[in-house]
Amino acid sequence: MTAIIETQGLVKQYGKFTALKGIDLTVEEGAVFGFVGPNGAGKTTTLRILATLLRPTAGQARIAGHSVEKERRAVRRAIGYMPDFFGVYGDMKVWEYLDFFAACYEIPKDVRATLTKDLLELVELSHRREDYVDALSRGMKQRLCLARALAHDPQVLILDEPASGLDPRARVEIRELLRELHKMGKTILVSSHILSEIQEICTHIGIIEAGELVTSGTLEAIREQIQIHRVLRIHLITRLEDAQTWLAGRPDVHAVAPVTANGKTDLQVDFSGDDEALAGLLAEMMAAGFSVIKFSEETTNLEDLFMRLTKGIVS
Amino acid sequence: MLDHPLVRLELRRARRKVWWPKGRFSALVVGGLGAAPIVIALMTLAATFGCVVLLIITDTAQADQIASAFLVVVSGIASLGCLFGALRALVEVGVVWIAPAVAAISIARERELGTFDILRTTLLSERSIVLGKWAGTLIWLWPGILLLLVLTPLQVIWVITNNAINPLTLFALGGSQNEIAHNAWLWGGFLLIGIAGMVKPWADIALHTTTGLFVSTLCKSSGAAVAVTYGALIVMRGLLWITFSSIRAALLTIGVLELTAMSIASIIGEAWIACAQVLLEVAGAAILVLATAEMLRRE
Ligand SMILES: Nc1ncnc2c1ncn2[C@@H]1O[C@H](COP(=O)(O)OP(=O)(O)OP(=O)(O)O)[C@@H](O)[C@H]1O
Ligand SMILES: [Mg+2]
């Protein structure tokens, strides 16, 4: 696997405000990289730099081996970019819109007709071919914009919150489309502030917050990170202190502490291990004679990891 | 340039939004109306040179009669031309001062709509975008541009056909070598002034639209872009006027230019000043195109 997008110490300052504080991002060829972070984390800023629309204050970024600052044309040829908020030329017909951008990508006239047809088929807009762009729904416009970004058959797709403002059905449609593009071998860098929304289609995840890349890696690696520190809540009828000492003596438990909520005291346990180890722990507790009546995990998915990693850092 | 995607885009839009000759009949009407001034111009030219040739080949006894007959014909046609001249002046003012607003809106409007970023990530270079937007501006002004195109040549006609100074006429009437040479210089000077006058509206349009484009890349809203453009143009026009007025005033004081007499030096001087202003405007427009592209690149 070779890296197709690479940034080194990417810094962007808006006046005195530092929006990016040295981002080192690597996206491998063929990956679907989910770029996740809360509002104002710097996702759009990073993507705009990669799309050659913004110049970094410091650091470097390369796409398909080309510098986004020095070889902009080559980078533009390699990427299809979809901004978070975008307008469309509403007074054009759907096919004209695609034809126009195909022309902007220097695609010869005789190829454009078939290309437009194929793109419309891909995003399922063939039946709206002769309609004005203004007459399309938001979801359709989003798909049209995606089709536009594919006009020159780019290696890399840079999509800034492609599903924002869409209803659940339209979100699913976009997701399916991305899955299809992944199958076609495209590298996709897609941002979102909702992790659960893109974790299904991503092969890699990067979490950004306040201009810093908190963590990044394959989905499995991130999941493992969760398994290393799983937070459990255990409620017992009696022998709370005994259980605490018993748990603290185990090698897979890093910390135990009683927490009181609504007048009831639970044990909060920092545990490392997969699901089987978790089931084993419960079985052993029962065998040891502890009267467990509640045994639950606090962080069970990426969303919670995301919340934990990013909690409260950004206002 | 006609194959530029932005140009084709604006052509398509303009055809939908403003009136466009549709069908063979309306195209014929537009073509006919457009051709009328050109036909008049050609008729004037033909009459002039036809008479000159006649004067040369016939003997001098009949020359006076032919000359006066010719004058009647030419002045008849010329008065028709006058009508077109007034029309041209009107159209010129309209196009020259509406064009900057259209140009100022072009890029700022794309920014407002959020379409500009997408355009910038395509393979169109910054300069290509600027040139495409510039051509697109002219497309929206097509009726005015077309009228100007057919009406401007009339301006030169009177110079070429001006009987009093036309050296050919003088030669035909048997003027002395010195007189003919003198008239040739005068005639050349007037021709240059005429040509400068003919190119001037185009130079104005070029300068005004490129100013609009330049401002358009700086402004976030199209309203602000239009306002700033007109402000900048008024300042620019003022500066141009002051510059060339002082040059003329200086030349008048030292006696190179004369207000009433038609000396060769004076006419040639006026011709050079007219040409210089046109050249300056064209150069300014070219620099503005490059500067606009450079600003987009730096952004
Ligand atoms: N043009 C600008 N001038 C000044 N500050 C800016 C500018 N653009 C972005 N910022 C700031 O930079 C930070 C990062 O913004 P960015 O748009 O990259 O965040 P984001 O992760 O895309 O957020 P969101 O999820 O809301 O889209 C924010 O604090 C924002 O206020
Ligand atoms: Mg954003």
Side-chain angles (χ1 to χ4, degrees), chain A residues 39-40 42-45 84-85 160-161 191:
Chain A
N39 289 129
K43 304 182 292 292
T44 299
T45 305
D84 47 354
F85 300 105
D160 201 353
E161 305 202 21
S191 85

Side-chain angles (χ1 to χ4, degrees), chain A:
Chain A
M1 278 285 177
T2 49
I4 195 155
I5 302 178
E6 241 180 329
T7 76
Q8 281 149 17
L10 214 55
V11 173
K12 177 68 193 176
Q13 284 177 319
Y14 294 110
K16 283 206 180 109
F17 177 75
T18 310
L20 299 183
K21 301 166 186 163
I23 300 277
D24 298 310
L25 190 72
T26 307
V27 178
E28 284 170 3
E29 196 168 354
V32 180
F33 192 99
F35 197 42
V36 193
N39 289 129
K43 304 182 292 292
T44 299
T45 305
T46 311
L47 298 192
R48 279 175 63 83
I49 290 174
L50 292 176
T52 72
L53 292 171
L54 208 60
R55 290 179 187 271
T57 313
Q60 282 189 355
R62 300 180 84 78
I63 293 183
H66 305 290
S67 156
V68 295
E69 275 194 279
K70 295 187 192 97
E71 299 158 278
R72 297 214 272 177
R73 209 181 143 77
V75 170
R76 285 171 182 178
R77 204 183 275 281
I79 62 164
Y81 170 67
M82 187 162 148
D84 47 354
F85 300 105
F86 62 90
V88 285
Y89 300 117
D91 54 356
M92 293 170 88
K93 290 184 177 171
V94 168
W95 74 267
E96 288 172 350
Y97 183 79
L98 289 180
D99 188 73
F100 168 71
F101 282 103
C104 290
Y105 280 112
E106 297 169 0
I107 292 162
K109 201 170 179 177
D110 47 335
V111 185
R112 294 208 291 264
T114 34
L115 176 73
T116 306
K117 188 167 157 286
D118 292 347
L119 286 174
L120 286 177
E121 248 161 49
L122 180 71
V123 299
E124 287 167 23
L125 281 175
S126 300
H127 60 299
R128 306 301 296 260
R129 198 187 122 87
E130 292 292 335
D131 287 349
Y132 283 99
V133 175
D134 259 346
L136 300 184
S137 73
R138 172 106 194 230
M140 289 177 180
K141 278 182 193 158
Q142 214 98 358
R143 294 206 311 263
L144 180 64
C145 190
L146 193 55
R148 186 228 85 229
L150 290 165
H152 54 305
D153 196 22
Q155 289 169 273
V156 180
L157 283 172
I158 297 177
L159 313 175
D160 201 353
E161 305 202 21
S164 71
L166 298 185
D167 68 23
R169 166 173 282 274
R171 278 163 195 264
V172 171
E173 282 168 358
I174 290 275
R175 203 182 302 158
E176 288 309 313
L177 211 51
L178 294 191
R179 206 168 267 153
E180 194 140 326
L181 291 170
H182 175 51
K183 269 192 224 140
M184 286 162 67
K186 308 261 181 228
T187 307
I188 304 175
L189 175 57
V190 52
S191 85
S192 176
H193 52 272
I194 306 171
L195 183 66
S196 58
E197 198 175 276
I198 54 170
Q199 75 185 61
E200 286 175 42
I201 52 164
C202 290
T203 58
H204 293 69
I205 299 270
I207 295 179
I208 183 178
E209 159 141 77
E212 281 171 300
L213 201 61
V214 180
T215 179
S216 87
T218 61
L219 207 56
E220 288 72 40
I222 303 269
R223 277 194 204 285
E224 254 163 46
Q225 226 169 325
I226 297 169
Q227 288 186 348
I228 288 170
H229 288 283
R230 308 174 86 158
V231 176
L232 309 177
R233 280 253 181 158
I234 303 171
H235 190 74
L236 303 109
I237 308 177
T238 52
R239 295 172 62 205
L240 200 73
E241 286 79 17
D242 284 354
Q244 193 175 342
T245 3
W246 184 83
L247 282 166
R250 290 177 61 95
D252 49 5
V253 170
H254 306 292
V256 201
V259 284
T260 307
N262 304 328
K264 284 192 283 185
T265 307
D266 288 347
L267 285 179
Q268 185 162 313
V269 181
D270 185 346
F271 174 80
S272 287
D274 56 14
D275 285 350
E276 259 173 52
L278 203 60
L281 176 70
L282 179 59
E284 280 179 48
M285 281 187 84
M286 305 293 271
F290 292 111
S291 49
V292 177
I293 57 165
K294 202 177 112 201
F295 188 90
S296 60
E297 184 176 359
E298 290 274 89
T299 56
T300 50
N301 59 26
L302 288 175
E303 196 66 24
D304 292 310
L305 170 82
F306 173 62
M307 291 304 286
R308 216 166 66 201
L309 284 171
T310 62
K311 200 183 294 170
I313 306 177
V314 147
S315 54

Side-chain angles (χ1 to χ4, degrees), chain B residues 42-270:
Chain B
L42 289 177
M43 276 163 64
T44 321
L45 277 179
T48 310
F49 289 105
C51 282
V52 169
V53 172
L54 260 181
L55 285 171
I56 293 170
I57 57 174
T58 50
D59 64 279
T60 38
Q62 288 172 321
D64 280 355
Q65 283 152 308
I66 291 173
S68 47
F70 148 75
L71 269 180
V72 169
V73 174
V74 169
S75 63
I77 300 172
S79 62
L80 245 177
C82 227
L83 197 77
F84 284 106
L87 184 62
R88 186 198 60 87
L90 257 171
V91 174
E92 183 186 322
V93 171
V95 176
V96 165
W97 287 97
I98 291 171
V102 180
I105 288 169
S106 62
I107 291 177
R109 184 91 192 114
E110 292 235 9
R111 280 237 168 81
E112 276 176 348
L113 290 174
T115 52
F116 199 53
D117 277 348
I118 296 178
L119 195 61
R120 280 178 59 209
T121 51
T122 66
L123 290 183
L124 289 181
S125 69
E126 282 79 3
R127 189 177 306 169
S128 176
I129 289 178
V130 173
L131 286 176
K133 282 283 164 200
W134 184 69
T137 303
L138 299 185
I139 286 167
W140 282 97
L141 299 163
W142 75 268
I145 300 271
L146 199 69
L147 271 174
L148 266 187
L149 261 180
V150 292
L151 292 175
T152 29
L154 281 175
Q155 209 170 346
V156 184
I157 298 304
W158 78 270
V159 185
I160 300 174
T161 58
N162 194 313
N163 194 47
I165 57 167
N166 190 335
L168 276 178
T169 320
L170 204 64
F171 169 71
L173 288 170
S176 75
Q177 198 122 27
N178 271 350
E179 279 174 323
I180 292 173
H182 177 82
N183 271 23
W185 276 107
L186 276 188
W187 190 70
F190 274 113
L191 193 64
L192 215 53
I193 293 175
I195 290 173
M198 193 168 78
V199 181
K200 179 85 170 16
W202 304 102
D204 283 345
I205 291 170
L207 183 66
H208 288 199
T209 45
T210 48
T211 306
L213 279 180
F214 183 78
V215 174
S216 198
T217 54
L218 292 175
C219 292
K220 285 242 155 62
S221 86
S222 48
V226 172
V228 174
T229 299
Y230 279 119
L233 280 179
I234 287 168
V235 172
M236 218 146 82
R237 283 276 144 214
L239 286 176
L240 273 175
W241 184 80
I242 289 172
T243 311
F244 285 95
S245 297
S246 17
I247 291 175
R248 288 195 70 230
L251 290 177
L252 275 170
T253 353
I254 60 167
V256 175
L257 296 184
E258 293 156 44
L259 275 183
T260 46
M262 282 221 295
S263 77
I264 289 177
S266 178
I267 296 300
I268 298 289
E270 292 281 11

